[in-house]
Amino acid sequence: MTRLFDLDFQLLHDTVLAAIAVFVLFLFLSYLLFNPVRKMLEDRKMKIKTDLDTAKLDKEDAAALKAEYDAKLKNIEKEGFWMKRKVKVGNVIIGEEGVIPIQSMCSIPFSRFDELKKQSLSLEKEGCDILRFAFPDMASAFGFSKLKDILKIPLVADIHFDYKLALEAIAAGADKIRINPGNIASEHLGDIAKAARNHKIPIRVGVNSGSLEKDILAEYGGVTPDALAKSAYRNVKLLENHDFKDIVVSIKSSDVKTMVEAYRKFYAMTEG
């Protein structure tokens, strides 16, 4: 009887130990299996919280920027500064109080004229006030002049490097041309200024973060508001040296705050 009891007790003891071992193994396997899932859920929760915080900050930044803009706009309306010069582009005036013309640019080349015509008419119908086109070669002049007969809104020719294209675009009836004066020799820039003045059309000086002069990039260590403003100021002066005043300035950056600050700095450089 004692022997049987000893055997039963030993069996119970072994069973309990086995159960404890299985339970411990279960806990260990659960940790291995479910800990990554728990961590993934925690990371996901943290990302959602971060995204929400970022969205909140973006919303707050946007609200602050709008409030700042509204305040400056009221100041502009009160003191009457900023737009000190009006420039006429066809039948549209840039710089007129309370009016901001909408300009777009077509993405289809003149070699696909029917598609370009359809896109142009669609933009005009949607309320576009000024329409810009790439003018990469002499053949573009024919399509450009045809569009002048079709569209009622002013057309702008976007010129790169070749001064002859600028002269051809002016002859084709461009209401404004866009150039980078720094890419054109001084004597040829004088020819463009003279042609634009004779045809009573403005010139748009285009400056963007991807085409800053090497010496300006070196001076400022990269694309900064000061670098963009200085490039714009330099290019405007190149035109003014040829006694040309009807200038529209475009400063562009993929970073909105950089672009806005560049415009402010440019204004400060040209004020008065």
Side-chain angles (χ1 to χ4, degrees):
M1 184 69 180
T2 302
R3 181 64 178 167
L4 182 61
F5 178 78
D6 289 341
L7 288 174
D8 289 342
F9 180 79
Q10 184 65 37
L11 180 62
L12 177 62
H13 178 267
D14 292 343
T15 302
V16 169
L17 288 178
I20 291 172
V22 170
F23 181 70
V24 171
L25 180 62
F26 172 77
L27 291 178
F28 179 70
L29 291 175
S30 297
Y31 175 81
L32 291 178
L33 292 173
F34 294 107
N35 190 55
V37 175
R38 180 180 60 80
K39 187 175 185 306
M40 182 184 70
L41 291 173
E42 288 178 352
D43 290 344
R44 178 60 179 164
K45 182 179 179 181
M46 183 62 69
K47 184 178 184 306
I48 291 172
K49 183 178 183 302
T50 302
D51 289 343
L52 289 172
D53 290 343
T54 301
K56 182 180 178 182
L57 286 174
D58 288 344
K59 188 175 181 180
E60 290 174 353
D61 287 345
L65 193 61
K66 184 179 184 303
E68 182 182 356
Y69 170 79
D70 289 342
K72 287 186 176 293
L73 185 60
K74 288 180 180 179
N75 196 31
I76 288 168
E77 292 170 348
K78 179 182 177 181
E79 299 186 16
F81 71 95
W82 198 0
M83 291 294 189
K84 295 184 177 181
R85 184 178 182 84
K86 296 178 182 179
V87 176
K88 191 174 183 182
V89 184
N91 59 354
V92 176
I93 297 176
I94 298 177
E96 191 171 18
E97 293 179 9
V99 178
I100 301 177
I102 298 172
Q103 176 176 288
S104 187
M105 184 170 185
C106 284
S107 58
I108 301 172
F110 283 106
S111 57
R112 291 153 53 194
F113 184 80
D114 288 342
E115 295 175 60
L116 178 61
K117 174 184 171 182
K118 182 178 179 180
Q119 185 184 55
S120 303
L121 288 169
S122 176
L123 285 166
E124 183 179 55
K125 182 180 178 181
E126 291 300 322
C128 181
D129 298 308
I130 303 172
L131 195 52
R132 184 158 58 108
F133 302 85
F135 201 101
D137 49 42
M138 290 295 181
S140 300
F142 179 69
F144 193 92
S145 60
K146 283 181 66 177
L147 285 177
K148 280 290 296 179
D149 294 332
I150 296 170
L151 301 170
K152 298 177 182 178
I153 58 178
L155 308 186
V156 182
D158 197 303
I159 309 297
H160 291 273
F161 303 107
D162 192 346
Y163 81 99
K164 292 179 181 178
L165 292 177
L167 298 177
E168 190 69 20
I170 293 172
D175 298 291
K176 180 174 70 172
I177 60 169
R178 180 268 179 190
I179 62 172
N180 185 336
N183 293 332
I184 300 172
S186 179
E187 64 271 21
H188 298 323
L189 188 60
D191 294 336
I192 295 173
K194 181 180 179 181
R197 189 164 48 246
N198 290 341
H199 285 77
K200 295 181 173 56
I201 68 168
I203 295 176
R204 165 175 160 157
V205 171
V207 174
N208 62 71
S209 56
S211 62
L212 284 177
E213 297 89 331
K214 291 182 180 179
D215 63 310
I216 292 179
L217 284 172
E219 179 180 355
Y220 292 98
V223 178
T224 66
D226 289 291
L228 290 166
K230 183 169 183 176
S231 178
Y233 184 78
R234 175 190 289 180
N235 282 285
V236 166
K237 283 298 179 183
L238 289 174
L239 277 175
E240 289 183 340
N241 289 340
H242 292 281
D243 195 30
F244 192 83
K245 305 296 183 183
D246 287 334
I247 303 169
V248 176
V249 179
S250 171
I251 302 176
K252 292 186 290 184
S253 171
S254 57
D255 182 76
V256 176
K257 290 183 178 179
T258 296
M259 182 176 67
V260 171
E261 188 61 24
Y263 271 114
R264 288 172 177 162
K265 289 181 177 294
F266 176 76
Y267 173 77
M269 295 168 73
T270 57
E271 188 176 9

